[in-house]
């Protein structure tokens, strides 16, 4: 190849469009791209192909002829959904609970990560990390059972209150306590595990920045505030956007297991509503899918808004 | 830029979807499908397939059901069962880990005689509806399942052929089963309505029922010794076998005041709701809360003063606030609540299944755990309203139904039907209820049945064969019926349960009322959306802080926004 030809190719590559760049990259690194195939197949099979089932939202489901053969019913399912006041209540409740989670629970793993990072003794740090992470592996059924044993009228906490001469508290049946209980149990169960991602971001911070700050006489608190937090901000942004994209999903497992008849009015989030409509009355998969599709659209909208907002504030975005 | 492209694509996709749905909805209507398709017509189909020659059931000398057919138990057993068959079965009350095929003489007789192996899936009350609906809609039913029938799904599944429709000759081929099926009017009604037999409604009572009126057996178990200790006179109630809600709550108050129990009444929210059902008209906990009033129009029970729901709930709320009812009753699981009565011994009362088997169990558990006799310390009462009326709904006399997979082969179908058919013969019933002949029971010289298990270390058949239920025990005719004559239960229990049924028949609200089939079989999307678990709703009102009237009226007003469309539909279709 002549030097002119080489130069021409370089120029072409430099001015190539996105697709051309991808083709050039693919040709150059095809072995690496090959490794993507299993993940792509997984996504196609389990994330994209099932989306075809969303058409049920516009159909009257007939099991015998399947999703594709079932007759279309236009927006009939949506009309029924939007007429139901309990649907709107569940939407409101889901948003209320999740905005609370965003304010109260979202910072918790960041705080745990910062605290763990400040621990000096390596072994103690590992022990603490294990202690914080362990609850993640318990199912909500187990957690609910623990909470019942702790908080029931004959439970540990009320027994202690009684022994101290303090009136007992109806923790499990109080609508006022239900929402805080969701946050507390969620933090207890998930904060440790979720902090792992922040810890890994912290471990990637250039140590020179800490040394420079120390030389400048920065206190520990100042180092956290001026070095650690700014460095993990991109990670916080991405996770914040993703959490915002799930604002309409309130954790069915947790609420299903922790709620009861006394707290049902404050516990019927959208997932519980879908469950009730699907499995306590005659089966109507079209109706349930319509509710789920509505939820996904709201989640998608919130995700895009959060992404835009993050970028407008100079932060990192997920896409675009 | 990319975001804009993504939105453009999404917008285009949604437009295409909208167009496609609009276009096809027109096609749908042209093929005859309409809004009314989502409703189940409650009018009986003209094309009745119920054969007039359905064999009838009669009571034999031994008091056991036997069909007036020529097909005897011997005939059924003489059929060719040489081909081994595995039958998949799904039902509740199955215990995971128990061997229902081998390991005891009781089950082995069934598996060996009919040459079958059971492949069992255990369901719980929590996942029963969910799993069955999933299987049916996936066209993946086990060969034989027990399904908690509801009219909306029932019509839909029959229409689509998601459950097996019986062949035309099933009644002549399996006449004992057909005879037993006549015990529940639901069998004939839905067979006519759906134009074929899809669901086998399992009769609660067959021929041993001691009174003409079918009533509920749910009763109130109460400590009579504590009443005496607290100075509360129950003698009139013991005499009549019944107690009103007001008297019951006074009794609880007396027990509490005497310091005999911190919380005298323990029950799950289901049973607390059941109390409402027993003392009011149309509370909705067990049956529909909709009812046809004297004006010929449909009404919703909780909203109508005449039903007494609000006042009864007010009494229970008051009892809850006064600490008579366990504060966290809504967290109790069945049978943890009754365990407080017979095991922990800290409950004075609870409502539960009033069957002979349970009287015996209370006796056994109280002896074992508390060292006292149930019969010496306690009694069972029919709960009534303050006028002395025990409220019941006109009975369809069934609990859940058997369904078969439409995909099973003929040999499996024939084997299952033969087993059911045999189970409905006199010999089959005796084997199911009393166990293995000459091992667990025998006839004495005078032809009376002698129970051989009673005096052994086991005491009862259930203790001897831990896997007794549910396949054979609740095969088709349920065990309630046999409570009255089953010598496997103590004579005291049998006499008590018979006495309670006879007394209840005198004070029940149903008498000669007819079943409202229009209502029972009605289903629509509006009714779906208005569905609720009434026991949970009532538990919520009971536990709610603030003024009861405000809370109750607010609840009724909220619910009416969903209920009114249902009432409008019902009145448009069936009002007189």
């Amino acid at each position: 190849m002549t030097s002119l030809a080489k130069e021409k190719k370089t120029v072409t590559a430099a001015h190539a469009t996105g697709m051309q760049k991808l083709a050039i990259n693919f040709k150059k690194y095809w072995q690496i791209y090959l490794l993507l195939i299993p993940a792509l197949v997984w996504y196609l099979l389990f994330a994209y192909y099932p989306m075809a089932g969303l058409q049920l939202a516009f159909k009257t489901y007939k099991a015998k002829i399947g999703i594709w053969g079932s007759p279309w019913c236009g927006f009939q399912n949506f009309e029924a959904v939007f007429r139901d006041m309990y649907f709107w209540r569940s939407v409101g409740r889901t948003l209320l609970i999740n905005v609370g989670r965003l304010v109260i629970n979202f910072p918790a793993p960041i705080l745990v990560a910062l605290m763990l990072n400040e621990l000096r003794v390596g072994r103690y740090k590992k022990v603490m990390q294990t202690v914080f992470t362990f609850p993640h592996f318990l199912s909500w059924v187990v957690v609910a059972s623990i909470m019942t044993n702790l908080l029931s009228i004959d439970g540990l906490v009320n027994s202690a209150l009684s022994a101290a001469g303090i009136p007992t508290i109806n923790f499990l049946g109080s609508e006022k306590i239900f929402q805080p209980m969701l946050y507390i149990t969620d933090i207890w169960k998930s904060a440790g595990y979720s902090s792992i991602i922040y810890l890994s971001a912290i471990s990637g911070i250039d140590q020179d920045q800490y040394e420079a700050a120390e030389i400048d006489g920065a206190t520990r608190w100042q180092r956290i505030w001026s070095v650690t937090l700014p460095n993990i901000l991109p990670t916080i942004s991405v996770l914040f956007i993703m959490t915002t994209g799930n604002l309409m999903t309130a954790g069915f497992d947790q609420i299903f297991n922790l709620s009861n008849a006394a707290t049902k009015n404050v516990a019927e989030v959208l997932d519980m509503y879908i469950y009730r409509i699907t499995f306590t009355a005659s089966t109507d998969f079209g109706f349930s899918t319509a509710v789920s599709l509505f939820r996904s659209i709201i989640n998608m909208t919130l995700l895009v808004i959060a992404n835009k907002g993050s970028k407008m504030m100079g932060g990192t975005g997920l896409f675009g | 830029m990319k975001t804009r492209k993504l939105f453009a694509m999404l917008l285009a996709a949604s437009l295409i979807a909208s167009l496609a749905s609009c276009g096809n909805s027109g096609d749908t209507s042209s093929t005859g499908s309409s809004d009314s398709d989502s409703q189940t017509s409650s009018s009986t189909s003209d094309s009745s397939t119920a054969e007039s020659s359905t064999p009838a059931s009669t009571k034999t000398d031994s008091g056991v059901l036997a069909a007036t057919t020529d097909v005897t138990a011997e005939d059924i057993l003489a059929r060719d069962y040489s081909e081994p068959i595995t039958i998949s079965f799904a039902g509740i009350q199955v215990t995971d880990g128990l061997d229902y095929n081998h390991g005891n003489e009781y089950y082995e007789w069934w598996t060996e005689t009919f040459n079958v192996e059971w492949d069992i899936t255990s369901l719980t009350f929590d996942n029963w509806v969910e799993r069955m609906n999933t299987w049916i809609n996936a066209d993946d039913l086990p060969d034989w399942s027990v399904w908690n029938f509801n009219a909306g799904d029932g019509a839909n599944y029959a229409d689509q052929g998601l459950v097996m429709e019986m062949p035309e000759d099933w009644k002549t081929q399996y006449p004992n089963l057909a005879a037993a099926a006549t015990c529940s009017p639901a069998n004939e009604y839905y067979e006519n309505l759906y134009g074929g037999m899809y669901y086998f409604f399992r009769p609660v009572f067959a021929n041993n029922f001691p009174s003409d009126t079918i009533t509920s057996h749910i009763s109130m178990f109460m400590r009579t010794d504590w009443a005496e200790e607290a100075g509360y006179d129950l003698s009139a109630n013991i005499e009549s076998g019944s107690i009103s809600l007001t008297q019951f709550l006074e009794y609880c108050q007396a027990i509490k005041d005497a310091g005999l129990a911190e919380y005298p009444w323990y029950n799950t929210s289901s049973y607390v709701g059941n109390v409402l059902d027993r003392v009011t008209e149309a509370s909705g906990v067990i049956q529909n809360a909709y009812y046809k009033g004297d004006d010929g129009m449909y009404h919703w029970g909780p909203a109508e003063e005449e039903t007494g729901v609000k006042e009864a709930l007010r009494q229970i709320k008051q009892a809850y606030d006064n600490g008579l009812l366990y504060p966290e009753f809504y967290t109790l699981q069945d049978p943890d609540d009754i365990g407080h009565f017979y095991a922990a011994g800290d409950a004075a009362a609870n409502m539960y299944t009033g069957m002979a088997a349970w009287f015996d169990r209370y006796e056994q558990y109280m002896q074992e755990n508390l060292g006292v006799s149930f019969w010496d310390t306690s009694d069972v009462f029919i709960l009534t309203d303050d006028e002395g009326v025990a409220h019941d709904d006109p009975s369809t006399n069934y609990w859940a139904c058997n369904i078969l997979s439409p995909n099973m082969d003929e040999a499996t179908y024939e084997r299952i039907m033969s087993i059911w058919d045999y189970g409905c013969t006199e010999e089959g019933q005796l084997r199911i209820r009393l166990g293995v002949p000459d091992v667990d029971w025998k006839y004495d010289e005078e032809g009376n049945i002698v129970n051989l298990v009673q005096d052994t270390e086991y005491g009862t058949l259930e203790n001897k064969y831990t896997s007794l239920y549910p396949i054979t025990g609740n095969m088709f005719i349920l065990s309630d019926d046999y409570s009255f004559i089953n010598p496997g239960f103590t004579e005291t229990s049998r006499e008590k349960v018979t006495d309670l049924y006879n007394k209840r028949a005198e004070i029940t609200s149903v008498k000669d009322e007819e079943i409202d089939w229009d209502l029972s079989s009605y289903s629509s999307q509006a009714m779906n959306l208005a569905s609720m678990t009434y026991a949970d709703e009532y538990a919520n009102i009971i536990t709610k802080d603030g003024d009861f009237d405000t809370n109750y009226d607010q609840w009724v007003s909220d619910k009416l926004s969903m209920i009114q469309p249902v009432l409008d539909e019902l009145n448009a279709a069936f009002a007189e």
Side-chain angles (χ1 to χ4, degrees):
Chain A
M1 192 181 282
T2 64
S3 61
L4 187 66
K6 270 185 189 170
E7 193 180 324
K8 194 178 173 184
K9 192 171 180 180
T10 313
V11 171
T12 312
H15 293 87
T17 63
M19 284 304 287
Q20 285 168 327
K21 274 183 190 169
L22 186 68
I24 292 164
N25 269 332
F26 187 77
K27 206 171 174 185
K28 196 172 175 182
Y29 304 112
W30 66 270
Q31 296 96 331
I32 294 169
Y33 276 102
L34 213 59
L35 294 174
L36 272 176
I37 287 175
L40 282 175
V41 169
W42 187 92
Y43 263 98
L44 285 173
L45 276 180
F46 297 108
Y48 285 93
Y49 177 67
M51 279 190 202
L54 288 175
Q55 63 182 291
L56 262 188
F58 306 96
K59 287 184 163 187
T60 303
Y61 181 59
K62 299 279 179 191
K64 207 67 182 176
I65 45 180
I67 294 173
W68 294 95
S70 295
W72 295 97
C73 65
F75 288 95
Q76 194 178 301
N77 289 323
F78 287 94
E79 283 166 19
V81 170
F82 295 147
R83 268 202 311 268
D84 187 355
M85 100 180 161
Y86 287 94
F87 164 76
W88 291 112
R89 282 189 186 176
S90 70
V91 168
R93 211 164 287 125
T94 309
L95 282 172
L96 180 72
I97 287 175
N98 276 346
V99 167
R101 278 191 213 272
L102 208 58
V103 174
I104 298 163
N105 290 21
F106 183 76
I110 302 171
L111 292 174
V112 172
L114 291 174
M115 286 192 295
L116 286 172
N117 187 55
E118 292 304 315
L119 291 175
R120 295 278 184 243
V121 185
R123 182 172 291 178
Y124 182 61
K125 187 176 176 176
K126 279 179 185 166
V127 168
M128 289 311 290
Q129 207 169 336
T130 308
V131 167
F132 280 127
T133 310
F134 172 73
H136 168 79
F137 299 99
L138 298 174
S139 75
W140 278 111
V141 179
V142 175
V143 175
S145 172
I146 294 170
M147 296 312 290
T148 305
N149 281 315
L150 283 176
L151 302 177
S152 71
I153 210 81
D154 317 314
L156 202 67
V157 175
N158 272 322
S159 299
L161 290 176
S162 285
I166 301 167
T168 55
I169 299 167
N170 187 357
F171 292 105
L172 300 176
S174 166
E175 291 186 348
K176 286 175 191 155
I177 294 174
F178 183 72
Q179 207 165 321
M181 190 164 72
L182 289 184
Y183 299 146
I184 292 165
T185 51
D186 195 25
I187 289 173
W188 178 76
K189 189 172 182 304
S190 312
Y193 187 78
S194 304
S195 69
I196 291 172
I197 198 158
Y198 294 110
L199 279 170
S200 71
I202 291 169
S203 68
I205 298 171
D206 186 358
Q207 290 303 308
D208 290 348
Q209 293 184 38
Y210 286 109
E211 283 169 22
E214 211 169 336
I215 290 165
D216 287 345
T219 61
R220 225 181 210 204
W221 172 245
Q222 285 170 323
R223 285 201 298 273
I224 291 172
W225 189 252
S226 306
V227 179
T228 312
L229 274 175
N231 274 290
I232 63 168
L233 203 57
T235 310
I236 294 173
S237 297
V238 169
L239 289 175
F240 180 83
I241 294 165
M242 288 171 75
T243 308
T244 309
N246 270 323
L247 273 185
M248 290 290 281
T249 312
F252 175 76
D253 284 359
Q254 183 194 19
I255 294 177
F256 184 77
N257 284 296
L258 289 174
S259 62
N260 53 51
T263 54
K264 60 183 279 301
N265 285 342
V266 290
E268 193 170 91
V269 292
L270 205 49
D271 289 309
M272 294 284 281
Y273 171 83
I274 294 171
Y275 178 82
R276 177 170 67 82
I277 291 296
T278 310
F279 292 116
T280 62
S282 296
T283 318
D284 191 344
F285 287 110
F287 184 92
S288 312
T289 312
V291 179
S292 298
L293 182 58
F294 174 81
R295 180 182 59 184
S296 301
I297 289 168
I298 299 290
N299 271 341
M300 178 81 182
T301 310
L302 290 170
L303 183 78
V304 172
I305 291 170
N307 191 58
K308 275 271 183 214
S310 172
K311 285 202 302 188
M312 277 169 67
M313 288 188 286
T316 311
L318 283 180
F319 45 80
Chain B
M1 185 66 183
K2 281 178 186 169
T3 314
R4 209 176 299 159
K5 275 184 184 170
L6 183 69
F7 270 121
M9 282 168 67
L10 278 173
L11 192 63
S14 62
L15 278 173
I16 291 166
S18 311
L19 286 171
S21 61
C22 293
N24 279 280
S25 62
D27 293 341
T28 309
S29 59
S30 68
T31 56
S33 175
S34 66
D35 281 357
S36 62
D37 280 357
S38 62
Q39 301 179 358
T40 308
S41 165
S42 64
S43 58
T44 307
S45 163
D46 288 333
S47 58
S48 166
T49 56
E51 293 170 25
S52 55
S53 60
T54 303
S57 59
T58 55
K59 201 168 181 174
T60 66
D61 290 342
S62 58
V64 193
L65 177 97
T68 50
T69 72
D70 295 332
V71 180
T72 64
E74 288 73 30
D75 296 332
I76 299 167
L77 296 179
R79 290 174 190 159
D80 177 18
Y81 301 120
S82 55
E83 184 195 347
I85 285 178
T86 300
I87 297 170
S88 53
F89 170 86
I92 53 167
Q93 299 168 313
V94 180
T95 308
D96 271 328
L98 282 184
D99 188 348
Y100 288 91
N101 289 300
H102 310 288
N104 71 56
E105 217 175 334
Y106 181 91
Y107 258 97
E108 277 169 1
W109 182 87
W110 290 90
T111 51
E112 285 169 12
T113 304
F114 290 97
N115 202 7
V116 294
E117 284 277 320
W118 301 110
D119 174 12
I120 290 173
T121 303
S122 163
L123 301 173
T124 65
F125 278 102
D126 288 338
N127 67 22
W128 188 18
V129 176
E130 178 185 329
R131 291 189 74 179
M132 287 301 297
N133 281 345
T134 307
W135 284 333
I136 296 171
N137 279 288
D139 202 11
D140 191 27
L141 265 180
D143 296 326
W144 166 16
S145 313
V146 179
W147 183 50
N148 195 10
F149 176 84
N150 77 67
D153 284 336
N156 185 20
Y157 297 159
D159 180 47
Q160 294 188 59
L162 291 169
V163 291
M164 181 189 271
E165 180 185 3
M166 292 301 112
E168 280 183 12
D169 65 348
W170 78 271
K171 285 178 186 168
T172 48
Q173 290 293 310
Y174 308 103
N176 300 286
L177 174 64
T182 61
C183 296
S184 168
N187 280 304
E188 187 184 352
Y189 179 79
Y190 285 104
E191 186 180 8
N192 289 335
L193 184 67
Y194 299 151
M197 187 72 173
Y198 295 88
Y199 306 103
F200 283 92
F201 295 90
R202 308 184 313 166
V204 178
F205 299 107
N207 280 359
N208 304 313
F209 195 60
S211 63
D212 292 334
T213 314
I214 294 177
T215 60
S216 166
H217 55 63
I218 303 294
S219 305
M220 194 60 87
F221 293 69
M222 292 163 61
R223 289 288 294 255
T224 48
D225 59 338
W226 286 3
E228 209 170 307
E229 213 175 321
Y232 188 85
D233 184 13
L234 274 175
S235 54
N237 304 100
I238 292 169
E239 180 68 27
S240 68
S242 63
I243 189 164
S244 72
L245 178 61
T246 304
Q247 288 172 327
F248 169 69
L249 296 176
E250 283 169 1
Y251 157 86
C252 289
Q253 188 67 59
I255 298 291
K256 189 174 177 77
D257 291 346
L260 293 164
E262 189 177 3
Y263 308 112
W265 176 20
Y266 277 75
N267 259 143
T268 63
S269 49
S270 294
Y271 276 103
V272 173
N274 210 311
V275 165
L276 275 176
D277 236 36
R278 303 274 74 91
V279 300
T280 69
E281 296 284 353
S283 76
V285 175
I286 296 176
Q287 296 281 1
N288 249 323
Y290 306 103
Y291 70 100
K292 191 180 266 185
D294 294 337
D295 57 357
M297 302 285 284
Y298 280 94
H299 300 269
W300 187 55
E304 304 295 333
E305 203 177 324
E306 64 181 16
T307 59
V309 175
K310 185 177 179 180
E311 288 315 307
L313 195 63
R314 187 198 302 280
Q315 282 183 283
I316 298 174
K317 162 76 176 163
Q318 190 64 48
Y320 179 77
D321 290 344
N322 291 345
L324 306 184
L325 174 62
Y326 179 63
E328 287 175 347
F329 68 95
Y330 47 83
T331 63
L332 291 172
Q333 301 288 318
D334 183 1
D336 295 344
D337 55 341
I338 55 171
H340 280 273
F341 189 99
Y342 60 61
D346 55 357
N350 59 47
M351 182 174 246
Y352 208 62
T353 304
M355 292 162 63
W358 273 100
F359 297 162
D360 279 355
R361 283 175 203 154
Y362 268 70
E363 170 66 5
Q364 183 190 337
Y365 299 152
M366 285 182 82
Q367 292 275 12
E368 286 172 3
N369 294 293
L370 307 175
V372 296
S373 162
F374 170 68
W375 296 115
D376 292 345
T377 59
S378 317
D379 209 336
V380 191
F381 300 89
I382 304 159
L383 194 65
T384 69
D385 65 15
D386 288 345
E387 308 298 319
V389 177
H391 290 263
D392 282 296
D393 293 297
S395 177
T396 45
N397 191 29
Y398 80 83
W399 182 72
C401 64
N402 284 341
I403 53 174
L404 297 178
S405 165
N407 305 317
M408 76 168 76
D409 58 50
E410 202 175 331
T412 308
Y413 160 77
E414 285 173 357
R415 197 67 56 90
I416 291 173
M417 293 297 276
S418 290
I419 294 171
W420 289 359
D421 201 31
Y422 175 80
C424 292
T425 63
E426 179 174 359
E427 187 182 313
Q429 278 291 297
L430 289 171
R431 184 175 281 280
I432 288 169
R433 304 296 163 211
L434 298 179
V436 183
D438 297 326
V439 175
D440 300 319
W441 64 277
K442 65 174 186 181
Y443 287 111
D444 64 15
E445 288 166 357
E446 291 165 358
N448 298 318
I449 292 170
V450 179
N451 187 309
L452 302 177
V453 184
Q454 225 159 26
D455 297 326
T456 67
E457 56 182 309
Y458 303 109
T460 67
L461 209 61
E462 279 181 21
N463 289 343
K464 184 174 180 185
Y465 306 117
T466 48
S467 54
L468 186 64
Y469 292 103
I471 303 175
T472 54
N474 286 338
M475 185 185 294
F476 187 60
I477 301 166
L478 301 181
S479 54
D480 305 44
D481 185 58
Y482 209 64
S483 285
F484 310 106
I485 60 166
N486 188 343
F489 303 128
T490 59
E491 203 173 332
T492 316
S493 293
R494 281 185 281 139
E495 278 174 7
K496 183 71 187 177
V497 76
T498 306
D499 181 49
L500 279 176
Y501 268 103
N502 284 326
K503 282 178 173 161
R504 195 178 182 98
E506 290 168 19
I507 57 172
T508 183
S509 61
V510 295
K511 305 282 183 190
D512 299 323
E513 280 182 50
E514 285 185 8
I515 297 160
D516 185 348
W517 288 109
D518 289 336
L519 177 62
S520 300
S521 59
Y522 188 77
S523 171
S524 71
Q525 193 169 51
M527 197 179 239
N528 254 1
L529 287 175
S531 68
M532 64 189 107
T533 308
Y534 281 90
D536 285 351
E537 298 288 337
Y538 293 134
N540 190 270
I541 297 169
I542 292 167
T543 55
K544 219 178 186 65
D545 293 333
D547 178 55
F548 170 78
D549 285 292
T550 311
N551 290 339
Y552 186 87
D553 294 345
Q554 180 62 48
W555 174 75
V556 168
S557 155
D558 269 7
K559 292 293 175 189
L560 273 176
S561 68
M562 306 303 296
I563 299 291
Q564 195 56 51
V566 185
L567 293 175
D568 293 343
E569 286 178 2
L570 289 169
N571 285 323
F574 312 117
E576 290 159 4

